[in-house]
Amino acid sequence: PWTDDEGHIRTNRGWRVQFNSAIGPYKGGIRFHPSVNQSILKFLGFEQTFKNSLTGLPMGGGKGGTNFNPKGKSDLEVMRFCQSFMTELQRHIGEDTDVPAGDIGVGAREIGYMFGQYKRINNKFVGVLTGKGLEFGGSKMRTEATGYGAVFFANNMLQHVKDSLEGKTVLISGSGNVATHAAEKILSLGGKPITLSDSGGFIHCEQGFSQEQIDWIKELKDVKRGRISEAAIEFQNVSFTENAKPWRVSANIAIPSATQNEISGSDANTMIKNGINLVAEAANMPCDQEAVDSFVEAGVKFGPAKAVNAGGVGVSGLEMSQNSARIAWDSDHLANLLETMMKDIHNSCVEFGESEGGINYLQGANIAGFVKVADAMLAYGHV
Ligand code: NDP
Ligand code: 2IT
């Protein structure tokens, strides 16, 4: 329960799914979105278990969330909701038990309110959440990690077949944390991010978004909490298409970065016809099963979410290490660790995914992630 600005008491449901702790404390994000239910959090917790295993760090899998809709809420309403949510959640989590982080609708602001409430109640300053502000135990590079990591992974896939990002056009969906940082890294590695979106529609810039435009969009989303359509009013070379996804635009690469099931089988067939030959899932399971099957059958290089977006939780793991040791590493060091981690994950996918038609990244990521968790569970015996 939380109190809105008119003084009315409102109620939302919240959950935490603690899926598997065989190789470390439960670890995974918290999502604030009206579509959240227990079923969605269970699939996310399941996937998180194997993703976290792929990072090579000691983290189990979990996921949490609520059907609270942060859109249109004031700062104080969000604060009161976060405090109420943490008042319940705090008894279930801990730096060695379960360490939540951000996800859709949960960024630095929400983590700050939740960490503050945990600290207030427990009188302990510990790394119980990741994605914290840099002033109070957050790690450099965590904000950028998921989007940057996804692009490093896509780049590794290209380099494996002696190709590169240079000059490639890239469709990106979403315009939040993951999407904007993916766009930024694509640009810095010589590619052209040409679309971004939100739940209202998508924007398209034929020559590719500039860093200045990406910065403007970050500010629009993070600070002004505006809509992506506003970018088409601000910039002459940007167009907006209402109530549509970017998948009909011709390009070389797609990096879906908004939400689950955002690419259907028929979207996939359109994308294949229009020349997409690499898909890297930066969101969690953005391609539905038919879409995955279509891409794999058509020989499109397909990077699955649990490998592609593991850089986010990977740097969360590094935030936990820094918190435990009470130290703070610099950006260059963390950027190197992230890049190396993504390379190692790519190598694991290659090792377990080798097949006649090239690398099957789906198989590679599933097997590589599973083996360690299964071995640990067997080693523990049973009671
Ligand atoms: P944000 O809340 O920062 O941004 C989400 C973006 O996706 C917004 O543009 C939002 O538009 C759009 N979106 C969300 N839900 C829907 C929907 N149902 N239909 C259409 N558009 C939607 O979230 P993140 O960038 O953090 O997360 C994006 C994806 O990446 C998620 O799948 C998340 O699980 C995954 N992920 C995130 C990580 C992280 O570190 N943050 C780590 C690994 C994976 P609108 O504002 O209109 O809702
Ligand atoms: O889906 C994910 O991997 C995340 N939302 C990040 C989880 C984390 O603990 O950093």
Side-chain angles (χ1 to χ4, degrees):
W2 54 282
T3 309
D4 69 19
D5 288 344
E6 279 73 53
H8 300 302
I9 294 170
R10 313 259 291 251
T11 305
N12 286 92
R13 293 201 71 186
W15 296 264
R16 182 75 185 164
V17 175
Q18 298 183 326
F19 215 107
N20 188 293
S21 62
I23 64 168
Y26 303 107
K27 178 87 195 90
I30 291 177
R31 180 176 290 192
F32 287 4
H33 195 273
S35 65
V36 165
N37 57 41
Q38 184 171 296
S39 162
I40 288 177
L41 297 176
K42 282 173 82 173
F43 105 69
L44 289 165
F46 179 79
E47 289 291 299
Q48 194 82 45
T49 301
F50 304 113
K51 179 197 305 190
N52 293 2
S53 166
L54 281 172
T55 66
L57 298 173
M59 299 182 286
K63 198 83 184 187
T66 165
N67 58 11
F68 173 77
N69 184 0
K71 273 199 205 91
K73 303 291 191 300
S74 70
D75 256 12
L76 286 177
E77 288 178 325
V78 170
M79 182 187 81
R80 288 191 291 267
F81 176 79
C82 288
Q83 291 176 341
S84 178
F85 186 78
M86 183 52 83
T87 300
E88 293 302 322
L89 184 64
Q90 56 88 24
R91 74 191 75 243
H92 303 290
I93 63 176
E95 71 276 27
D96 296 321
T97 313
D98 183 355
V99 183
D103 192 76
I104 292 174
V106 177
R109 174 181 63 168
E110 291 74 20
I111 294 290
Y113 292 146
M114 288 193 277
F115 185 75
Q117 186 70 350
Y118 184 90
K119 197 171 86 62
R120 221 171 259 129
I121 294 173
N122 290 279
N123 192 29
K124 279 204 308 190
F125 193 111
V126 290
V128 68
L129 294 173
T130 60
K132 300 183 291 298
L134 297 182
E135 307 80 6
F136 50 93
S139 175
K140 297 207 172 93
M141 284 307 291
R142 176 62 189 88
T143 307
E144 298 85 353
T146 312
Y148 282 16
V151 175
F152 288 143
F153 194 91
N155 203 26
N156 289 328
M157 291 170 77
L158 290 167
Q159 285 170 348
H160 192 74
V161 292
K162 313 251 175 301
D163 200 352
S164 82
L165 273 169
E166 193 61 45
K168 299 277 192 313
T169 49
V170 184
L171 305 181
I172 300 175
S173 60
S175 49
N177 171 276
V178 179
T180 51
H181 291 101
E184 183 167 297
K185 187 50 78 179
I186 289 283
L187 188 62
S188 79
L189 293 180
K192 285 188 201 174
I194 61 170
T195 67
L196 287 165
S197 72
D198 64 17
S199 54
F202 76 90
I203 54 170
H204 180 202
C205 177
E206 211 169 315
Q207 57 265 67
F209 298 109
S210 64
Q211 185 61 48
E212 183 204 346
Q213 288 173 323
I214 295 169
D215 289 342
W216 188 90
I217 290 165
K218 280 186 188 170
E219 162 110 2
L220 172 76
K221 287 289 171 179
D222 263 5
V223 184
K224 299 185 199 137
R225 304 197 183 266
R227 308 305 301 157
I228 202 65
S229 54
E230 295 169 44
I233 300 166
E234 178 74 13
F235 301 110
Q236 266 192 348
N237 62 351
V238 172
S239 65
F240 174 67
T241 308
E242 201 175 353
N243 290 330
K245 296 175 182 177
W247 312 132
R248 292 184 170 278
V249 178
S250 295
N252 307 121
I253 293 174
I255 306 190
S257 308
T259 193
Q260 66 273 1
N261 296 330
E262 55 173 318
I263 299 183
S264 66
S266 96
D267 292 330
N269 292 332
T270 307
M271 292 161 81
I272 294 162
K273 264 192 227 124
N274 286 347
I276 295 285
N277 59 31
L278 187 152
V279 176
E281 292 188 313
N284 281 308
M285 299 191 95
C287 301
D288 74 11
Q289 192 58 48
E290 276 179 43
V292 175
D293 293 344
S294 295
F295 288 134
V296 173
E297 263 166 47
V300 170
K301 285 180 274 306
F302 180 76
K306 65 170 72 65
V308 173
N309 72 29
V313 74
V315 175
S316 276
L318 301 175
E319 183 170 332
M320 290 166 69
S321 305
Q322 293 170 81
N323 290 167
S324 298
R326 304 207 188 280
I327 51 174
W329 294 329
D330 66 38
S331 286
D332 287 348
H333 181 54
L334 284 154
N336 282 333
L337 291 176
L338 172 63
E339 200 167 349
T340 306
M341 191 186 298
M342 298 316 295
K343 215 171 262 167
D344 291 345
I345 295 171
H346 181 267
N347 290 342
S348 301
C349 292
V350 170
E351 183 186 342
F352 287 93
E354 219 132 18
S355 74
E356 277 170 28
I359 306 303
N360 183 334
Y361 285 92
L362 199 59
Q363 174 188 309
N366 283 339
I367 297 175
F370 178 81
V371 169
K372 204 165 79 173
V373 177
D375 283 348
M377 290 174 74
L378 290 173
Y380 294 153
H382 51 86
V383 285

